[in-house]
Coordinates of all heavy atoms in Angstrom, one line a residue:
L1 N 15.2 1.7 -0.3 CA 16.0 0.9 0.7 C 17.4 0.6 0.1 O 18.4 0.6 0.8 CB 15.3 -0.4 1.1 CG 14.0 -0.2 1.9 CD1 13.3 -1.6 2.2 CD2 14.3 0.5 3.2
E2 N 17.4 0.3 -1.2 CA 18.7 -0.1 -1.8 C 19.6 1.2 -1.9 O 20.8 1.0 -1.7 CB 18.4 -0.6 -3.3 CG 19.6 -1.2 -3.9 CD 20.1 -2.5 -3.2 OE1 19.3 -3.1 -2.6 OE2 21.3 -2.8 -3.4
Y3 N 19.0 2.3 -2.1 CA 19.8 3.6 -2.1 C 20.4 3.8 -0.8 O 21.5 4.3 -0.6 CB 18.9 4.8 -2.6 CG 19.7 6.1 -2.6 CD1 20.5 6.4 -3.6 CD2 19.6 7.0 -1.5 CE1 21.3 7.6 -3.6 CE2 20.3 8.1 -1.5 CZ 21.1 8.5 -2.5 OH 21.8 9.6 -2.5
R4 N 19.7 3.5 0.3 CA 20.2 3.6 1.6 C 21.1 2.5 2.0 O 21.5 2.4 3.2 CB 19.0 3.7 2.6 CG 18.1 5.0 2.5 CD 16.9 4.9 3.4 NE 16.2 6.1 3.4 CZ 16.4 7.1 4.3 NH1 17.4 6.9 5.2 NH2 15.7 8.2 4.3
R5 N 21.3 1.5 1.1 CA 22.1 0.3 1.4 C 21.6 -0.5 2.5 O 22.4 -1.0 3.3 CB 23.6 0.8 1.6 CG 24.2 1.5 0.4 CD 25.7 1.8 0.6 NE 26.2 2.6 -0.4 CZ 26.6 2.1 -1.6 NH1 26.4 0.8 -1.9 NH2 27.1 2.9 -2.6
I6 N 20.3 -0.7 2.6 CA 19.7 -1.6 3.6 C 19.8 -3.0 3.1 O 19.3 -3.3 2.0 CB 18.2 -1.2 3.8 CG1 18.1 0.3 4.2 CG2 17.6 -2.1 4.8 CD1 18.7 0.6 5.5
P7 N 20.5 -3.9 3.8 CA 20.6 -5.3 3.4 C 19.2 -6.0 3.2 O 18.3 -5.8 4.0 CB 21.4 -6.0 4.5 CG 22.1 -4.8 5.2 CD 21.1 -3.7 5.1
G8 N 19.1 -6.8 2.1 CA 17.9 -7.5 1.9 C 16.8 -6.7 1.4 O 15.6 -7.0 1.7
S9 N 17.0 -5.6 0.8 CA 16.0 -4.6 0.4 C 14.9 -5.3 -0.5 O 13.7 -5.0 -0.4 CB 16.6 -3.4 -0.3 OG 17.3 -3.8 -1.5
I10 N 15.4 -6.2 -1.4 CA 14.4 -6.8 -2.4 C 13.5 -7.7 -1.6 O 12.3 -7.7 -1.8 CB 15.2 -7.6 -3.5 CG1 15.9 -6.6 -4.4 CG2 14.2 -8.4 -4.3 CD1 16.7 -7.2 -5.5
I11 N 14.0 -8.6 -0.7 CA 13.1 -9.5 0.0 C 12.2 -8.8 0.9 O 11.1 -9.2 1.1 CB 14.0 -10.6 0.7 CG1 13.1 -11.8 1.1 CG2 14.7 -10.0 1.9 CD1 13.9 -12.9 1.6
I12 N 12.7 -7.6 1.5 CA 11.8 -6.8 2.3 C 10.7 -6.3 1.5 O 9.5 -6.3 2.0 CB 12.6 -5.6 2.9 CG1 13.7 -6.2 4.0 CG2 11.7 -4.6 3.6 CD1 14.6 -5.1 4.5
G13 N 10.9 -5.8 0.3 CA 9.9 -5.3 -0.6 C 8.9 -6.3 -0.9 O 7.7 -6.1 -0.9
V14 N 9.3 -7.5 -1.3 CA 8.4 -8.6 -1.6 C 7.5 -9.0 -0.5 O 6.3 -9.2 -0.6 CB 9.2 -9.9 -2.1 CG1 8.3 -11.1 -2.3 CG2 9.9 -9.6 -3.4
L15 N 8.1 -9.2 0.7 CA 7.4 -9.6 1.9 C 6.4 -8.5 2.3 O 5.3 -8.7 2.8 CB 8.3 -10.0 3.0 CG 9.1 -11.2 2.8 CD1 10.1 -11.5 3.9 CD2 8.2 -12.4 2.5
A16 N 6.8 -7.2 2.2 CA 6.0 -6.1 2.6 C 4.7 -6.0 1.8 O 3.6 -5.8 2.3 CB 6.8 -4.8 2.5
V17 N 4.9 -6.2 0.5 CA 3.7 -6.2 -0.4 C 2.8 -7.4 -0.1 O 1.6 -7.3 -0.1 CB 4.1 -6.3 -1.9 CG1 2.9 -6.4 -2.8 CG2 4.9 -5.0 -2.3
T18 N 3.4 -8.6 0.2 CA 2.6 -9.8 0.5 C 1.8 -9.6 1.8 O 0.6 -9.9 1.8 CB 3.5 -11.0 0.7 OG1 4.2 -11.2 -0.6 CG2 2.7 -12.2 1.0
V19 N 2.5 -9.1 2.8 CA 1.8 -8.9 4.1 C 0.7 -7.8 3.9 O -0.4 -8.0 4.5 CB 2.8 -8.4 5.2 CG1 2.1 -7.9 6.4 CG2 3.8 -9.5 5.5
A20 N 0.9 -6.8 3.2 CA -0.1 -5.7 3.0 C -1.3 -6.3 2.2 O -2.4 -6.0 2.5 CB 0.5 -4.6 2.2
A21 N -1.0 -7.1 1.2 CA -2.1 -7.8 0.4 C -3.0 -8.7 1.3 O -4.2 -8.6 1.2 CB -1.5 -8.6 -0.7
I22 N -2.4 -9.4 2.2 CA -3.1 -10.3 3.1 C -3.9 -9.5 4.1 O -5.1 -9.7 4.3 CB -2.2 -11.3 3.8 CG1 -1.5 -12.3 2.8 CG2 -2.9 -12.0 4.9 CD1 -0.5 -13.1 3.4
A23 N -3.3 -8.4 4.6 CA -4.0 -7.5 5.6 C -5.2 -6.8 5.0 O -6.2 -6.7 5.7 CB -3.0 -6.5 6.1
F24 N -5.1 -6.4 3.7 CA -6.2 -5.7 3.1 C -7.2 -6.7 2.4 O -8.2 -6.2 1.8 CB -5.6 -4.8 2.0 CG -4.8 -3.6 2.5 CD1 -3.7 -3.2 1.9 CD2 -5.2 -3.0 3.8 CE1 -3.0 -2.1 2.4 CE2 -4.4 -2.0 4.3 CZ -3.3 -1.5 3.6
G25 N -7.0 -8.0 2.6 CA -7.9 -8.9 2.0 C -7.8 -9.1 0.5 O -8.7 -9.7 -0.1
L26 N -6.7 -8.7 0.0 CA -6.5 -8.9 -1.5 C -5.9 -10.2 -1.8 O -5.9 -10.7 -3.0 CB -5.5 -7.8 -2.0 CG -6.0 -6.3 -1.8 CD1 -5.0 -5.3 -2.2 CD2 -7.3 -6.1 -2.5
Q27 N -5.2 -10.9 -0.8 CA -4.6 -12.2 -1.1 C -4.9 -13.1 0.1 O -4.9 -12.7 1.3 CB -3.1 -12.0 -1.1 CG -2.3 -13.3 -1.2 CD -2.5 -14.0 -2.6 OE1 -3.0 -13.4 -3.5 NE2 -2.0 -15.2 -2.7
E28 N -5.3 -14.3 -0.3 CA -5.7 -15.3 0.8 C -4.4 -15.9 1.4 O -3.5 -16.3 0.7 CB -6.5 -16.4 0.1 CG -6.9 -17.5 1.1 CD -7.6 -18.6 0.4 OE1 -7.8 -18.6 -0.8 OE2 -7.9 -19.6 1.1
F29 N -4.4 -15.9 2.7 CA -3.3 -16.7 3.4 C -3.7 -18.1 3.4 O -4.7 -18.5 4.0 CB -3.1 -16.2 4.8 CG -2.1 -16.9 5.6 CD1 -0.8 -16.8 5.2 CD2 -2.4 -17.7 6.7 CE1 0.2 -17.5 5.9 CE2 -1.4 -18.4 7.4 CZ -0.1 -18.3 7.0
K30 N -3.0 -18.9 2.7 CA -3.4 -20.3 2.4 C -2.9 -21.4 3.3 O -3.0 -22.6 3.0 CB -3.0 -20.6 0.9 CG -3.6 -19.7 -0.1 CD -3.3 -20.0 -1.5 CE -3.9 -19.0 -2.5 NZ -3.6 -19.3 -3.9
G31 N -2.4 -20.9 4.4 CA -1.9 -21.9 5.4 C -0.4 -22.1 5.3 O 0.3 -21.4 4.6
V32 N 0.0 -23.2 5.9 CA 1.5 -23.5 6.0 C 1.8 -24.9 5.4 O 2.5 -25.0 4.5 CB 2.0 -23.4 7.4 CG1 3.5 -23.7 7.4 CG2 1.7 -22.0 8.0
F33 N 1.2 -25.9 6.0 CA 1.6 -27.3 5.6 C 0.6 -28.0 4.7 O -0.6 -27.7 4.8 CB 1.8 -28.1 6.9 CG 2.9 -27.6 7.7 CD1 2.6 -26.9 8.9 CD2 4.3 -27.8 7.4 CE1 3.6 -26.4 9.7 CE2 5.3 -27.3 8.2 CZ 5.0 -26.6 9.4
A34 N 1.0 -28.9 3.9 CA 0.2 -29.8 3.2 C 0.9 -31.1 2.8 O 2.2 -31.1 2.7 CB -0.3 -29.1 1.8
P35 N 0.3 -32.2 2.8 CA 0.9 -33.5 2.5 C 1.6 -33.4 1.1 O 1.1 -32.8 0.2 CB -0.2 -34.5 2.5 CG -1.3 -33.9 3.3 CD -1.2 -32.4 3.0
I36 N 2.7 -34.2 0.9 CA 3.3 -34.2 -0.4 C 2.5 -35.2 -1.3 O 2.3 -36.3 -1.0 CB 4.8 -34.7 -0.3 CG1 5.6 -33.8 0.6 CG2 5.4 -34.8 -1.7 CD1 7.0 -34.2 0.9
P37 N 2.1 -34.7 -2.5 CA 1.3 -35.6 -3.4 C 2.2 -36.7 -4.0 O 3.4 -36.6 -3.9 CB 0.8 -34.6 -4.5 CG 1.0 -33.2 -3.9 CD 2.2 -33.3 -3.0
S38 N 1.6 -37.6 -4.6 CA 2.3 -38.7 -5.3 C 2.8 -38.3 -6.6 O 2.2 -37.6 -7.4 CB 1.4 -39.9 -5.4 OG 2.0 -40.9 -6.2
L39 N 4.0 -38.8 -6.9 CA 4.7 -38.6 -8.2 C 4.3 -39.6 -9.3 O 4.6 -39.5 -10.5 CB 6.2 -38.5 -8.0 CG 7.1 -38.1 -9.2 CD1 6.8 -36.7 -9.7 CD2 8.6 -38.2 -8.9
A40 N 3.7 -40.7 -8.8 CA 3.5 -41.9 -9.6 C 2.8 -41.6 -11.0 O 3.1 -42.2 -12.0 CB 2.7 -42.9 -8.8
P41 N 1.8 -40.7 -11.0 CA 1.0 -40.6 -12.3 C 1.9 -40.1 -13.5 O 1.5 -40.3 -14.7 CB 0.0 -39.5 -12.0 CG -0.3 -39.7 -10.5 CD 1.1 -40.0 -9.9
T42 N 3.0 -39.4 -13.2 CA 3.9 -38.9 -14.3 C 5.3 -39.5 -14.3 O 6.0 -39.3 -15.2 CB 4.0 -37.4 -14.2 OG1 4.6 -37.0 -13.0 CG2 2.7 -36.7 -14.4
F43 N 5.6 -40.3 -13.3 CA 7.0 -40.8 -13.1 C 7.3 -41.8 -14.2 O 6.6 -42.8 -14.3 CB 7.2 -41.4 -11.7 CG 8.6 -41.8 -11.5 CD1 9.7 -40.9 -11.4 CD2 8.9 -43.2 -11.3 CE1 11.0 -41.4 -11.2 CE2 10.2 -43.6 -11.1 CZ 11.2 -42.7 -11.0
M44 N 8.4 -41.6 -14.9 CA 8.9 -42.6 -16.0 C 7.8 -42.9 -17.0 O 7.6 -44.0 -17.4 CB 9.4 -43.8 -15.3 CG 10.6 -43.7 -14.5 SD 12.1 -43.0 -15.4 CE 12.5 -44.4 -16.4
Q45 N 7.0 -41.9 -17.4 CA 5.9 -42.1 -18.4 C 6.3 -41.7 -19.8 O 5.4 -41.6 -20.6 CB 4.7 -41.3 -17.9 CG 4.0 -41.8 -16.6 CD 3.5 -43.2 -16.7 OE1 2.7 -43.5 -17.7 NE2 3.9 -44.0 -15.8
M46 N 7.6 -41.4 -20.0 CA 8.0 -41.0 -21.4 C 7.7 -42.2 -22.4 O 7.8 -43.3 -22.1 CB 9.5 -40.8 -21.4 CG 10.0 -39.7 -20.5 SD 10.5 -40.4 -18.9 CE 12.0 -41.3 -19.4

């Protein structure tokens, strides 16, 4: 794709492999949203 000067060739390649991996059952699609965890256990603990 880069030789053909297709814009965004790298991101296309990354997403293509990801989609193929999910489609073939090699990678789990883990959803979209999740609550933000608390920072308290490590915040200012130096």
Side-chain angles (χ1 to χ4, degrees):
L1 292 177
E2 191 64 26
Y3 179 79
R4 291 174 173 269
R5 301 187 183 278
I6 304 297
S9 58
I10 291 181
I11 196 170
I12 290 172
V14 171
L15 293 177
V17 174
T18 301
V19 170
I22 294 172
F24 293 144
L26 301 173
Q27 175 70 12
E28 178 188 358
F29 179 64
K30 300 180 180 180
V32 180
F33 299 104
I36 301 177
S38 171
L39 187 63
T42 59
F43 184 67
M44 296 299 290
Q45 293 297 308
M46 302 92 71

